[in-house]
Amino acid sequence: MRLGVLDVGSNTVHLLIVDARHGGAPVPAHSHKIELRLAESLDARGNISAEGAAKLSGFVSESLAVAEDAGVASIMGFATSAIREAPNGEQVIDQVHDATGVRLELLSGEDEGRLTFLAVRRWFGWSSGRLIVFDIGGGSMEIAVGSDEEPDDAISLELGAGRLTRAHISGAPADPEEVRALRRLIRTEMADVVSSIDRLGPPDLAVATSKTFRQLARITGAAPSAEGPYVRRVLTREGIGEWLPKIEAMSLAERTALPGVSTGRAGQLVAGALVAEAAMDLFGHDEFVLCPWALREGVILRRMDGLDE
């Protein structure tokens, strides 16, 4: 069965088309995305602007045409923090549905953590033991831990790289005082959940997933995506410690020139690196192993689990 998944995030709206079957791994067939930056399309009251909502509906319509051409049997859509936190988020979902027929599922931060955890568990399997999974998005960060496919706990923090950049970093190179203040804020908020996660027991494997961690891993020496998903990639505390001061001192053009860094995300790199560094320090991990599967794959796996064999 060919499925389409529309992921409406804070930075990017992404259509992923996969070939999937019950009990099998989803195989990517096509990808179509746009950097819509919904989190930046807000008015003074925090509502998504009419222009932002119209652009979203337009891209969803465009994605439906792409999916039809690709022979997609079914399309699913979900939205995360940008729409979840907007006072008019439900209205935007209704507007997209009226314009396209696609009903976006509004995921909570905990939903994101649990579905991402499911994808990571399926990727690494039971032999990986107890997992702790970290995911830095544009609007939020999710942490989930457990020994099964359903995590023992999933926590969402307002520590997304885009959110923190908009609120606390005014330019590139980054102002050292702004960086110090943001570092304190991140560590204070994250420290509040460390004890609740630690009480659940030590993990056997610490995993990071999604774009921010992939970019940081690539910058610090991980293999490029061209080498395929099965190459082991890690992000180390040593690598972050070496590169963070360099990234802070770079212009946007210099950051964009780094391997694996897109123009649209170069401005968020400092905030993302500060969150990653804090997670390693506060949770006591010298390295995170990267997982190529994340939230989109978790949504697909949940859907496939619900189908009859």
Side-chain angles (χ1 to χ4, degrees):
M1 172 184 266
R2 181 157 283 191
L3 298 176
V5 179
L6 266 169
D7 175 356
V8 181
S10 298
N11 293 312
T12 304
V13 184
H14 189 172
L15 170 68
L16 177 65
I17 296 173
V18 300
D19 291 321
R21 60 185 174 83
H22 185 85
V27 179
H30 185 71
S31 177
H32 181 60
K33 61 185 175 181
I34 184 174
E35 286 192 350
L36 196 56
R37 298 191 174 278
L38 277 179
E40 297 177 10
S41 300
L42 304 178
D43 62 22
R45 299 171 64 182
N47 289 307
I48 294 172
S49 67
E51 181 184 5
K55 286 182 179 179
L56 175 58
S57 293
F59 183 77
V60 173
S61 294
E62 180 183 315
S63 296
L64 287 175
V66 170
E68 181 179 337
D69 289 344
V72 168
S74 177
I75 192 162
M76 304 169 288
F78 64 89
T80 56
S81 63
I83 292 183
R84 182 171 69 233
E85 296 172 12
N88 67 336
E90 292 286 354
Q91 294 170 258
V92 172
I93 287 176
D94 288 340
Q95 181 177 330
V96 170
H97 180 255
D98 291 344
T100 68
V102 174
R103 173 65 67 179
L104 298 172
E105 179 183 2
L106 193 58
L107 299 180
S108 69
E110 290 73 20
D111 290 335
E112 291 186 53
R114 291 180 182 281
L115 287 165
T116 300
F117 187 90
L118 171 63
V120 172
R121 168 59 72 196
R122 293 282 178 91
W123 180 268
F124 286 108
W126 298 114
S127 63
S128 57
R130 186 170 183 80
L131 300 174
I132 185 167
V133 178
F134 298 87
D135 181 354
I136 304 170
S140 62
M141 175 193 192
E142 279 69 49
I143 306 169
V145 61
S147 299
D148 300 320
E149 291 197 334
E150 180 73 13
D152 296 333
D153 197 9
I155 295 171
S156 183
L157 302 173
E158 293 185 353
L159 295 178
R163 178 198 299 273
L164 295 176
T165 300
R166 288 189 300 274
H168 302 282
I169 300 292
S170 61
D175 180 271
E177 287 301 318
E178 291 180 344
V179 171
R180 278 192 288 272
L182 180 55
R183 184 178 186 273
R184 286 194 299 270
L185 181 148
I186 290 168
R187 287 169 180 258
T188 299
E189 292 198 18
M190 199 178 297
D192 285 343
V193 304
V194 171
S195 61
S196 64
I197 293 290
D198 284 349
R199 281 199 301 270
L200 297 172
D204 299 301
L205 184 66
V207 179
T209 188
S210 294
K211 188 68 172 181
T212 296
F213 279 118
R214 289 199 300 270
Q215 287 182 330
L216 293 171
R218 182 72 184 94
I219 291 168
T220 58
S225 58
E227 294 190 17
Y230 301 111
V231 175
R232 188 177 189 270
R233 296 174 174 87
V234 299
L235 176 64
T236 66
R237 194 180 334 194
E238 181 181 2
I240 284 285
E242 176 186 349
W243 272 94
L244 184 51
K246 299 177 184 179
I247 295 168
E248 292 171 15
M250 289 179 179
S251 67
L252 285 180
E254 289 171 326
R255 292 179 197 168
T256 303
L258 293 170
V261 178
S262 64
T263 302
R265 291 179 181 263
Q268 303 178 14
L269 204 53
V270 170
L274 288 170
V275 175
E277 180 193 48
M280 289 185 151
D281 284 350
L282 294 176
F283 285 91
H285 298 291
D286 290 327
E287 74 171 26
F288 289 157
V289 179
L290 274 290
C291 180
W293 281 4
L295 178 57
R296 283 186 292 274
E297 287 78 13
V299 170
I300 293 165
L301 291 166
R302 181 183 64 178
R303 168 66 186 278
M304 297 310 298
D305 286 348
L307 296 178
D308 292 332
E309 293 188 67

Short mmCIF file of all heavy atoms in Angstrom, two decimals, residues 210-225 233-263 265-274 276 290:
data_model
loop_
_atom_site.label_atom_id
_atom_site.label_comp_id
_atom_site.label_asym_id
_atom_site.label_seq_id
_atom_site.Cartn_x
_atom_site.Cartn_y
_atom_site.Cartn_z
N SER A 210 15.61 13.53 14.19
CA SER A 210 15.11 14.72 13.50
C SER A 210 16.22 15.67 13.07
O SER A 210 17.40 15.46 13.33
CB SER A 210 14.03 15.44 14.31
OG SER A 210 12.88 14.61 14.42
N LYS A 211 15.79 16.74 12.35
CA LYS A 211 16.71 17.54 11.55
C LYS A 211 17.81 18.23 12.35
O LYS A 211 18.97 18.25 11.94
CB LYS A 211 15.90 18.60 10.78
CG LYS A 211 16.69 19.39 9.75
CD LYS A 211 17.14 18.53 8.60
CE LYS A 211 17.75 19.38 7.49
NZ LYS A 211 18.18 18.56 6.33
N THR A 212 17.48 18.84 13.47
CA THR A 212 18.50 19.57 14.22
C THR A 212 19.65 18.68 14.62
O THR A 212 20.83 19.02 14.44
CB THR A 212 17.87 20.23 15.47
OG1 THR A 212 16.92 21.21 15.07
CG2 THR A 212 18.94 20.90 16.33
N PHE A 213 19.33 17.52 15.18
CA PHE A 213 20.40 16.60 15.58
C PHE A 213 21.16 16.07 14.38
O PHE A 213 22.39 15.89 14.45
CB PHE A 213 19.81 15.42 16.37
CG PHE A 213 19.54 15.72 17.82
CD1 PHE A 213 18.26 15.68 18.34
CD2 PHE A 213 20.58 16.05 18.68
CE1 PHE A 213 18.01 15.94 19.68
CE2 PHE A 213 20.36 16.32 20.02
CZ PHE A 213 19.06 16.27 20.52
N ARG A 214 20.48 15.81 13.27
CA ARG A 214 21.19 15.33 12.08
C ARG A 214 22.18 16.37 11.57
O ARG A 214 23.30 16.05 11.17
CB ARG A 214 20.19 14.96 10.97
CG ARG A 214 19.40 13.71 11.25
CD ARG A 214 18.79 13.13 9.98
NE ARG A 214 17.89 14.04 9.32
CZ ARG A 214 16.59 14.10 9.57
NH1 ARG A 214 16.05 13.31 10.50
NH2 ARG A 214 15.82 14.95 8.92
N GLN A 215 21.76 17.64 11.57
CA GLN A 215 22.67 18.70 11.14
C GLN A 215 23.89 18.78 12.04
O GLN A 215 25.03 18.88 11.56
CB GLN A 215 21.94 20.05 11.14
CG GLN A 215 20.94 20.22 10.02
CD GLN A 215 20.29 21.58 10.04
OE1 GLN A 215 20.12 22.19 11.09
NE2 GLN A 215 19.90 22.07 8.88
N LEU A 216 23.66 18.76 13.35
CA LEU A 216 24.78 18.86 14.28
C LEU A 216 25.72 17.67 14.15
O LEU A 216 26.95 17.81 14.21
CB LEU A 216 24.25 18.96 15.72
CG LEU A 216 23.49 20.25 16.05
CD1 LEU A 216 22.82 20.14 17.41
CD2 LEU A 216 24.44 21.45 16.02
N ALA A 217 25.17 16.48 13.96
CA ALA A 217 26.01 15.30 13.78
C ALA A 217 26.85 15.41 12.52
O ALA A 217 28.04 15.07 12.52
CB ALA A 217 25.14 14.04 13.75
N ARG A 218 26.24 15.89 11.45
CA ARG A 218 26.97 16.03 10.19
C ARG A 218 28.10 17.04 10.33
O ARG A 218 29.23 16.81 9.86
CB ARG A 218 25.99 16.47 9.09
CG ARG A 218 26.64 16.61 7.70
CD ARG A 218 26.97 15.27 7.11
NE ARG A 218 27.67 15.42 5.84
CZ ARG A 218 29.00 15.44 5.70
NH1 ARG A 218 29.79 15.30 6.76
NH2 ARG A 218 29.55 15.58 4.52
N ILE A 219 27.83 18.17 10.97
CA ILE A 219 28.85 19.20 11.17
C ILE A 219 30.03 18.64 11.96
O ILE A 219 31.19 18.94 11.68
CB ILE A 219 28.26 20.41 11.92
CG1 ILE A 219 27.28 21.16 11.02
CG2 ILE A 219 29.37 21.36 12.40
CD1 ILE A 219 26.45 22.19 11.77
N THR A 220 29.74 17.80 12.94
CA THR A 220 30.80 17.30 13.82
C THR A 220 31.43 16.01 13.31
O THR A 220 32.19 15.37 14.03
CB THR A 220 30.25 17.08 15.24
OG1 THR A 220 29.14 16.17 15.20
CG2 THR A 220 29.79 18.39 15.84
N GLY A 221 31.12 15.61 12.06
CA GLY A 221 31.87 14.51 11.46
C GLY A 221 31.11 13.28 11.07
O GLY A 221 31.71 12.31 10.56
N ALA A 222 29.78 13.23 11.26
CA ALA A 222 29.01 12.05 10.87
C ALA A 222 28.94 11.92 9.36
O ALA A 222 29.11 12.90 8.62
CB ALA A 222 27.61 12.12 11.46
N ALA A 223 28.67 10.72 8.90
CA ALA A 223 28.61 10.44 7.47
C ALA A 223 27.48 11.22 6.81
O ALA A 223 26.43 11.43 7.42
CB ALA A 223 28.42 8.94 7.24
N PRO A 224 27.65 11.64 5.56
CA PRO A 224 26.57 12.35 4.85
C PRO A 224 25.40 11.42 4.55
O PRO A 224 25.54 10.19 4.53
CB PRO A 224 27.25 12.81 3.56
CG PRO A 224 28.38 11.86 3.35
CD PRO A 224 28.87 11.49 4.72
N SER A 225 24.24 12.02 4.29
CA SER A 225 23.04 11.23 4.02
C SER A 225 23.19 10.37 2.78
O SER A 225 22.54 9.33 2.65
CB SER A 225 21.84 12.15 3.87
OG SER A 225 22.05 13.09 2.82
N ARG A 233 25.62 6.69 12.84
CA ARG A 233 25.96 8.10 13.01
C ARG A 233 25.77 8.48 14.47
O ARG A 233 24.77 8.08 15.09
CB ARG A 233 25.09 8.98 12.12
CG ARG A 233 25.30 8.76 10.63
CD ARG A 233 24.30 9.55 9.79
NE ARG A 233 24.57 9.46 8.37
CZ ARG A 233 24.10 8.51 7.58
NH1 ARG A 233 23.31 7.55 8.08
NH2 ARG A 233 24.39 8.49 6.30
N VAL A 234 26.69 9.26 15.01
CA VAL A 234 26.58 9.68 16.40
C VAL A 234 26.87 11.18 16.51
O VAL A 234 27.55 11.77 15.67
CB VAL A 234 27.56 8.92 17.33
CG1 VAL A 234 27.26 7.42 17.31
CG2 VAL A 234 29.01 9.19 16.96
N LEU A 235 26.31 11.76 17.54
CA LEU A 235 26.65 13.12 17.95
C LEU A 235 27.29 13.01 19.32
O LEU A 235 26.71 12.42 20.23
CB LEU A 235 25.40 13.99 18.03
CG LEU A 235 25.60 15.42 18.55
CD1 LEU A 235 26.48 16.22 17.61
CD2 LEU A 235 24.26 16.12 18.75
N THR A 236 28.51 13.54 19.47
CA THR A 236 29.22 13.42 20.74
C THR A 236 29.23 14.73 21.51
O THR A 236 29.14 15.82 20.93
CB THR A 236 30.68 12.98 20.50
OG1 THR A 236 31.38 14.03 19.80
CG2 THR A 236 30.74 11.69 19.69
N ARG A 237 29.34 14.60 22.82
CA ARG A 237 29.45 15.79 23.66
C ARG A 237 30.74 16.55 23.32
O ARG A 237 30.75 17.79 23.32
CB ARG A 237 29.45 15.40 25.13
CG ARG A 237 29.21 16.58 26.03
CD ARG A 237 29.19 16.33 27.51
NE ARG A 237 28.82 15.03 27.99
CZ ARG A 237 28.50 14.77 29.25
NH1 ARG A 237 28.47 15.77 30.12
NH2 ARG A 237 28.21 13.56 29.66
N GLU A 238 31.79 15.84 23.03
CA GLU A 238 33.06 16.48 22.66
C GLU A 238 32.89 17.28 21.37
O GLU A 238 33.40 18.41 21.25
CB GLU A 238 34.14 15.42 22.47
CG GLU A 238 35.50 15.98 22.10
CD GLU A 238 36.54 14.89 21.90
OE1 GLU A 238 36.20 13.70 22.02
OE2 GLU A 238 37.70 15.25 21.62
N GLY A 239 32.17 16.70 20.40
CA GLY A 239 31.97 17.39 19.14
C GLY A 239 31.16 18.67 19.30
O GLY A 239 31.49 19.71 18.71
N ILE A 240 30.10 18.61 20.09
CA ILE A 240 29.29 19.80 20.36
C ILE A 240 30.13 20.86 21.06
O ILE A 240 30.08 22.05 20.72
CB ILE A 240 28.07 19.45 21.23
CG1 ILE A 240 27.01 18.74 20.40
CG2 ILE A 240 27.47 20.69 21.86
CD1 ILE A 240 26.24 19.66 19.49
N GLY A 241 30.92 20.44 22.06
CA GLY A 241 31.75 21.39 22.79
C GLY A 241 32.76 22.09 21.91
O GLY A 241 33.06 23.28 22.10
N GLU A 242 33.27 21.36 20.91
CA GLU A 242 34.26 21.95 19.99
C GLU A 242 33.61 22.92 19.01
O GLU A 242 34.16 23.99 18.72
CB GLU A 242 34.96 20.83 19.23
CG GLU A 242 35.94 21.32 18.17
CD GLU A 242 36.52 20.20 17.33
OE1 GLU A 242 36.33 19.02 17.69
OE2 GLU A 242 37.15 20.51 16.30
N TRP A 243 32.43 22.56 18.51
CA TRP A 243 31.83 23.31 17.41
C TRP A 243 30.91 24.45 17.86
O TRP A 243 30.72 25.41 17.12
CB TRP A 243 31.07 22.36 16.49
CG TRP A 243 31.96 21.80 15.43
CD1 TRP A 243 32.65 20.63 15.46
CD2 TRP A 243 32.29 22.43 14.19
NE1 TRP A 243 33.38 20.48 14.32
CE2 TRP A 243 33.18 21.57 13.51
CE3 TRP A 243 31.92 23.63 13.59
CZ2 TRP A 243 33.70 21.88 12.27
CZ3 TRP A 243 32.43 23.94 12.34
CH2 TRP A 243 33.31 23.07 11.69
N LEU A 244 30.33 24.38 19.04
CA LEU A 244 29.38 25.41 19.44
C LEU A 244 29.98 26.81 19.42
O LEU A 244 29.38 27.74 18.85
CB LEU A 244 28.79 25.07 20.82
CG LEU A 244 27.71 26.01 21.36
CD1 LEU A 244 26.59 26.23 20.34
CD2 LEU A 244 27.13 25.46 22.65
N PRO A 245 31.17 27.05 19.99
CA PRO A 245 31.74 28.40 19.91
C PRO A 245 31.99 28.85 18.47
O PRO A 245 31.85 30.04 18.16
CB PRO A 245 33.07 28.28 20.68
CG PRO A 245 32.91 27.07 21.54
CD PRO A 245 32.04 26.13 20.76
N LYS A 246 32.35 27.92 17.60
CA LYS A 246 32.59 28.26 16.19
C LYS A 246 31.29 28.69 15.52
O LYS A 246 31.26 29.69 14.79
CB LYS A 246 33.20 27.07 15.45
CG LYS A 246 34.54 26.60 15.96
CD LYS A 246 34.99 25.37 15.17
CE LYS A 246 36.28 24.80 15.71
NZ LYS A 246 36.71 23.59 14.96
N ILE A 247 30.23 27.93 15.77
CA ILE A 247 28.93 28.24 15.16
C ILE A 247 28.42 29.59 15.64
O ILE A 247 27.88 30.39 14.86
CB ILE A 247 27.91 27.13 15.47
CG1 ILE A 247 28.34 25.81 14.82
CG2 ILE A 247 26.51 27.51 15.00
CD1 ILE A 247 27.55 24.61 15.31
N GLU A 248 28.59 29.86 16.93
CA GLU A 248 28.14 31.14 17.48
C GLU A 248 28.80 32.32 16.75
O GLU A 248 28.17 33.35 16.52
CB GLU A 248 28.49 31.22 18.97
CG GLU A 248 27.71 30.28 19.85
CD GLU A 248 28.26 30.26 21.27
OE1 GLU A 248 29.04 31.17 21.61
OE2 GLU A 248 27.93 29.33 22.02
N ALA A 249 30.06 32.16 16.39
CA ALA A 249 30.82 33.26 15.79
C ALA A 249 30.62 33.40 14.29
O ALA A 249 31.12 34.35 13.68
CB ALA A 249 32.32 33.06 16.08
N MET A 250 29.86 32.50 13.68
CA MET A 250 29.69 32.51 12.22
C MET A 250 28.53 33.40 11.78
O MET A 250 27.53 33.56 12.48
CB MET A 250 29.41 31.08 11.72
CG MET A 250 30.60 30.15 11.77
SD MET A 250 30.13 28.49 11.16
CE MET A 250 31.71 27.64 11.32
N SER A 251 28.66 33.91 10.58
CA SER A 251 27.55 34.58 9.91
C SER A 251 26.59 33.52 9.37
O SER A 251 26.91 32.32 9.34
CB SER A 251 28.05 35.44 8.76
OG SER A 251 28.59 34.59 7.74
N LEU A 252 25.40 33.95 8.94
CA LEU A 252 24.45 33.00 8.36
C LEU A 252 25.04 32.34 7.12
O LEU A 252 24.85 31.13 6.90
CB LEU A 252 23.15 33.71 7.99
CG LEU A 252 22.22 34.09 9.14
CD1 LEU A 252 20.97 34.78 8.60
CD2 LEU A 252 21.81 32.84 9.94
N ALA A 253 25.75 33.09 6.31
CA ALA A 253 26.36 32.52 5.10
C ALA A 253 27.38 31.45 5.45
O ALA A 253 27.46 30.40 4.80
CB ALA A 253 27.00 33.63 4.27
N GLU A 254 28.17 31.72 6.49
CA GLU A 254 29.17 30.73 6.91
C GLU A 254 28.51 29.47 7.46
O GLU A 254 28.97 28.35 7.20
CB GLU A 254 30.10 31.35 7.95
CG GLU A 254 31.04 32.40 7.37
CD GLU A 254 31.79 33.16 8.46
OE1 GLU A 254 31.23 33.39 9.55
OE2 GLU A 254 32.94 33.55 8.20
N ARG A 255 27.42 29.62 8.20
CA ARG A 255 26.73 28.44 8.73
C ARG A 255 26.11 27.63 7.59
O ARG A 255 26.15 26.40 7.59
CB ARG A 255 25.63 28.86 9.71
CG ARG A 255 26.16 29.46 11.00
CD ARG A 255 25.00 29.87 11.90
NE ARG A 255 25.43 30.80 12.94
CZ ARG A 255 24.61 31.49 13.71
NH1 ARG A 255 23.30 31.35 13.56
NH2 ARG A 255 25.07 32.31 14.63
N THR A 256 25.53 28.32 6.62
CA THR A 256 24.91 27.63 5.50
C THR A 256 25.94 26.83 4.71
O THR A 256 25.60 25.81 4.09
CB THR A 256 24.21 28.65 4.58
OG1 THR A 256 23.25 29.39 5.34
CG2 THR A 256 23.49 27.96 3.43
N ALA A 257 27.18 27.27 4.72
CA ALA A 257 28.25 26.57 4.00
C ALA A 257 28.70 25.30 4.71
O ALA A 257 29.42 24.48 4.14
CB ALA A 257 29.44 27.49 3.79
N LEU A 258 28.26 25.10 5.96
CA LEU A 258 28.63 23.90 6.70
C LEU A 258 27.92 22.69 6.10
O LEU A 258 26.80 22.81 5.57
CB LEU A 258 28.25 24.04 8.18
CG LEU A 258 29.01 25.08 8.99
CD1 LEU A 258 28.36 25.26 10.36
CD2 LEU A 258 30.48 24.68 9.14
N PRO A 259 28.52 21.50 6.18
CA PRO A 259 27.87 20.32 5.61
C PRO A 259 26.55 20.00 6.29
O PRO A 259 26.46 20.00 7.52
CB PRO A 259 28.91 19.21 5.86
CG PRO A 259 29.78 19.70 6.96
CD PRO A 259 29.82 21.19 6.79
N GLY A 260 25.53 19.77 5.48
CA GLY A 260 24.23 19.35 6.01
C GLY A 260 23.32 20.45 6.50
O GLY A 260 22.21 20.18 6.94
N VAL A 261 23.76 21.72 6.42
CA VAL A 261 22.97 22.83 6.95
C VAL A 261 22.24 23.54 5.81
O VAL A 261 22.87 24.00 4.86
CB VAL A 261 23.84 23.83 7.72
CG1 VAL A 261 23.01 25.01 8.22
CG2 VAL A 261 24.54 23.14 8.88
N SER A 262 20.91 23.65 5.93
CA SER A 262 20.12 24.34 4.91
C SER A 262 20.05 25.83 5.23
O SER A 262 20.22 26.25 6.38
CB SER A 262 18.70 23.76 4.86
OG SER A 262 18.02 24.00 6.08
N THR A 263 19.79 26.62 4.20
CA THR A 263 19.69 28.07 4.37
C THR A 263 18.60 28.42 5.39
O THR A 263 18.78 29.29 6.25
CB THR A 263 19.38 28.74 3.02
OG1 THR A 263 20.40 28.40 2.09
CG2 THR A 263 19.30 30.25 3.17
N ARG A 265 17.50 26.85 7.95
CA ARG A 265 17.72 26.45 9.34
C ARG A 265 19.03 26.98 9.92
O ARG A 265 19.32 26.73 11.08
CB ARG A 265 17.67 24.93 9.46
CG ARG A 265 16.27 24.37 9.24
CD ARG A 265 16.28 22.86 9.34
NE ARG A 265 14.96 22.30 9.10
CZ ARG A 265 14.09 21.95 10.03
NH1 ARG A 265 14.40 22.12 11.30
NH2 ARG A 265 12.92 21.44 9.72
N ALA A 266 19.82 27.67 9.13
CA ALA A 266 21.12 28.15 9.60
C ALA A 266 20.97 29.07 10.80
O ALA A 266 21.79 29.05 11.73
CB ALA A 266 21.86 28.86 8.47
N GLY A 267 19.93 29.90 10.80
CA GLY A 267 19.73 30.83 11.90
C GLY A 267 19.38 30.17 13.21
O GLY A 267 19.54 30.75 14.28
N GLN A 268 18.86 28.93 13.16
CA GLN A 268 18.44 28.22 14.36
C GLN A 268 19.53 27.32 14.94
O GLN A 268 19.32 26.66 15.96
CB GLN A 268 17.22 27.35 14.04
CG GLN A 268 16.05 28.10 13.48
CD GLN A 268 14.88 27.20 13.13
OE1 GLN A 268 14.84 26.04 13.52
NE2 GLN A 268 13.93 27.72 12.39
N LEU A 269 20.68 27.32 14.30
CA LEU A 269 21.70 26.34 14.65
C LEU A 269 22.26 26.54 16.05
O LEU A 269 22.51 25.56 16.77
CB LEU A 269 22.83 26.41 13.61
CG LEU A 269 23.70 25.17 13.42
CD1 LEU A 269 22.87 23.93 13.14
CD2 LEU A 269 24.68 25.42 12.27
N VAL A 270 22.45 27.78 16.47
CA VAL A 270 23.00 28.03 17.80
C VAL A 270 22.05 27.54 18.88
O VAL A 270 22.44 26.83 19.81
CB VAL A 270 23.31 29.53 18.00
CG1 VAL A 270 23.64 29.82 19.46
CG2 VAL A 270 24.48 29.95 17.12
N ALA A 271 20.77 27.90 18.76
CA ALA A 271 19.79 27.46 19.76
C ALA A 271 19.70 25.94 19.79
O ALA A 271 19.65 25.34 20.87
CB ALA A 271 18.42 28.07 19.45
N GLY A 272 19.66 25.31 18.63
CA GLY A 272 19.60 23.85 18.58
C GLY A 272 20.80 23.20 19.24
O GLY A 272 20.67 22.21 19.97
N ALA A 273 21.98 23.76 18.99
CA ALA A 273 23.20 23.20 19.59
C ALA A 273 23.21 23.39 21.10
O ALA A 273 23.67 22.50 21.84
CB ALA A 273 24.43 23.86 18.97
N LEU A 274 22.69 24.51 21.58
CA LEU A 274 22.62 24.73 23.03
C LEU A 274 21.69 23.73 23.70
O LEU A 274 21.97 23.24 24.79
CB LEU A 274 22.15 26.16 23.32
CG LEU A 274 23.15 27.28 23.03
CD1 LEU A 274 22.46 28.64 23.13
CD2 LEU A 274 24.34 27.22 24.00
N ALA A 276 20.95 20.69 22.50
CA ALA A 276 21.60 19.38 22.42
C ALA A 276 22.69 19.24 23.47
O ALA A 276 22.81 18.19 24.14
CB ALA A 276 22.19 19.19 21.02
N LEU A 290 22.19 8.50 16.28
CA LEU A 290 21.16 9.10 15.45
C LEU A 290 20.25 8.02 14.88
O LEU A 290 20.72 6.96 14.45
CB LEU A 290 21.79 9.89 14.30
CG LEU A 290 22.18 11.35 14.58
CD1 LEU A 290 20.95 12.21 14.73
CD2 LEU A 290 23.08 11.48 15.80
#
